[in-house]
Amino acid sequence: MKAQTLADHLAKNPVDDEYQPLSTYFPDEEENSVEVTSEDTNAWKIFFDGVVNAKGVGIGAILILPTGQHYPAITRLRFLCTNNTTKYEAYIMGMNMAIDQDVEELIIMGDSDLTIRQAQGEWETRDVKLIPYRQHVEDLSKRFKSVEFRYIPRFHNELADALATLASMLPYPGNVHIDPLEIQIREGHGYCNTVEVEPNVQPWYHDIKRFLKMKEYPEKANGDQKRTIRRLASGFFLSGEVLYKRTPYLNLLRCVDAEKA
């Protein structure tokens, strides 16, 4: 990007017989990057990407509603493709998804500089393999009230890239049925769901809590067991009915039974 800016700057200031030293100060040279945010609240958005690797060829697209709902789609391609043709295949798939939903205003975003610039009309399409794709995109664009193509950095297109990579890695299932991919959110550790609560069983800290509260031992406790309870109790703190365990850093960890755990 810096090299292109310098080239544009020099092209606008050609050297002639009356050459004068150029002022090479750029007003925004302190800016590292610029991020453009969109205010198109009524427009639907598509993120797309395509992947070619040793495992196969996959494309992915996400159709995003103005309300924020995401509709992902992935496809595994079983014909010869280049990186550029996979990009075209990906956002054509996304455009067809939008057409099926009767979308009128659409913003298409991807990290493929070539395909986006060609779709915008800024770059010519000279590759004979891409000319039919470019024409098909123009035909599909006529199905919308407005279509805008935007180039975005790769780190803003990670979800579409992940979908395309997934499609390329999955083996062809044939007649095997694969359920739709569902992403769950878990806020607790997996082993917490395996805790079995036994009814009418005292919690593990029952003897320690009773000793701190009433200075009592279990009925059949012998001398060694009583000394163990006293030693353990020194590391706990009772506040009302809530028992805490002291840590070496003077923190208090609340003691809970199996059901609360």
Side-chain angles (χ1 to χ4, degrees):
M1 187 177 293
K2 290 182 179 179
Q4 184 64 52
T5 302
L6 289 172
D8 293 342
H9 181 64
L10 294 175
K12 294 178 181 178
N13 296 273
V15 177
D16 52 25
D17 296 336
E18 299 180 357
Y19 171 74
Q20 296 292 330
L22 296 177
S23 175
T24 57
Y25 172 74
F26 294 92
D28 300 325
E29 64 182 356
E30 293 85 4
E31 298 293 336
N32 185 41
S33 63
V34 177
E35 181 176 347
V36 179
T37 58
S38 174
E39 300 296 335
D40 307 281
T41 56
N42 295 324
W44 293 46
K45 299 180 179 65
I46 286 178
F47 290 82
F48 71 91
D49 204 357
V51 171
V52 180
N53 55 38
K55 295 289 186 178
V57 182
I59 59 175
I62 308 104
L63 181 64
I64 304 179
L65 279 66
T67 56
Q69 295 168 282
H70 288 53
Y71 291 94
I74 64 174
T75 299
R76 183 180 175 90
L77 306 181
R78 302 191 66 193
F79 51 85
L80 184 62
C81 287
T82 64
N83 284 325
N84 291 329
T85 56
T86 59
K87 309 294 185 182
Y88 269 107
E89 289 282 351
Y91 77 72
I92 287 175
M93 178 178 68
M95 294 178 75
N96 286 325
M97 293 169 59
I99 291 173
D100 293 339
Q101 297 294 327
D102 297 325
V103 176
E104 295 184 350
E105 299 179 8
L106 184 64
I107 300 174
I108 302 175
M109 292 179 279
D111 57 32
S112 173
D113 201 26
L114 176 71
T115 54
I116 292 295
R117 303 305 180 193
Q118 289 179 348
Q120 291 173 336
E122 297 180 6
W123 293 0
E124 295 182 5
T125 306
R126 298 180 179 179
D127 191 337
V128 293
K129 297 187 297 296
L130 301 182
I131 292 176
Y133 283 108
R134 178 71 186 92
Q135 183 60 50
H136 188 54
V137 169
E138 290 183 358
D139 295 338
L140 292 178
S141 299
K142 298 175 183 178
R143 306 280 296 273
F144 301 94
K145 182 178 179 181
S146 66
V147 177
E148 182 180 350
F149 297 88
R150 295 182 184 176
Y151 171 78
I152 58 175
R154 179 173 294 274
F155 61 86
H156 284 169
N157 202 34
E158 292 179 341
L159 181 55
D161 178 66
L163 292 174
T165 302
L166 177 62
S168 68
M169 300 292 287
L170 287 174
Y172 180 65
N175 295 326
V176 178
H177 175 71
I178 298 179
D179 285 334
L181 179 65
E182 180 181 355
I183 300 177
Q184 299 178 348
I185 298 177
R186 179 180 296 169
E187 298 180 352
H189 301 285
Y191 56 79
C192 291
N193 296 327
T194 64
V195 176
E196 296 181 0
V197 181
E198 298 182 3
N200 302 322
V201 176
Q202 297 293 351
W204 59 272
Y205 53 83
H206 173 71
D207 293 336
I208 297 174
K209 182 177 180 180
R210 184 173 64 172
F211 176 79
L212 291 175
K213 187 175 183 180
M214 298 179 293
K215 301 299 181 182
E216 295 181 355
Y217 300 99
E219 295 181 0
K220 298 181 180 181
N222 56 33
D224 291 339
Q225 292 172 338
K226 291 179 180 180
R227 283 193 297 272
T228 300
I229 291 176
R230 290 196 300 269
R231 178 175 56 81
L232 292 174
S234 64
F236 289 80
F237 169 74
L238 186 63
S239 175
E241 294 296 324
V242 181
L243 182 66
Y244 296 93
K245 178 176 174 58
R246 294 190 180 94
T247 70
Y249 304 101
L250 302 181
N251 295 322
L252 296 178
L253 305 179
R254 182 169 181 172
C255 303
V256 295
D257 56 21
E259 182 178 2
K260 289 183 179 180

